[in-house]
Amino acid sequence: MQIIEVNSRKISRVFYQHLLLTVVLKTGEKFIYRLLEASTFKEFSDSADKDKFYKSQIKANKKFKRIQLFG
């Protein structure tokens, strides 16, 4: 499992393992995305504006299955 702490306005941290991307928002909400390619995580971690990348490339991508976690 890879974990990155994100210095952004909305995202607290991101976990990645076996094409599952878990995004933890600063509001406490957690979302799991089932990705199609492992390179998406690398592109996210290399992006200069992680909030913008998350919103435009992951959250808005209908090909990624999104599941909200509660608890």
Side-chain angles (χ1 to χ4, degrees):
M1 177 183 298
Q2 295 177 338
I3 302 171
I4 59 170
E5 295 290 328
V6 179
N7 186 13
S8 77
R9 295 180 307 271
K10 297 180 182 180
I11 302 169
S12 175
R13 69 181 63 90
V14 177
F15 305 90
Y16 174 76
Q17 184 175 14
H18 304 297
L19 296 180
L20 293 176
L21 182 73
T22 304
V23 177
V24 181
L25 302 179
K26 291 195 176 183
T27 60
E29 293 176 291
K30 296 178 187 175
F31 297 98
I32 289 181
Y33 293 88
R34 185 170 40 187
L35 305 179
L36 302 176
E37 300 176 350
S39 62
T40 303
F41 177 73
K42 182 170 178 8
E43 291 170 10
F44 174 80
S45 61
D46 291 344
S47 68
D49 187 345
K50 291 179 178 47
D51 286 322
K52 184 177 179 182
F53 186 91
Y54 171 68
K55 185 176 180 182
S56 65
Q57 300 295 322
I58 297 173
K59 187 176 177 184
N61 192 333
K62 301 297 182 201
K63 293 186 274 184
F64 298 156
K65 182 173 171 120
R66 174 177 156 156
I67 302 163
Q68 184 169 4
L69 300 177
F70 298 96

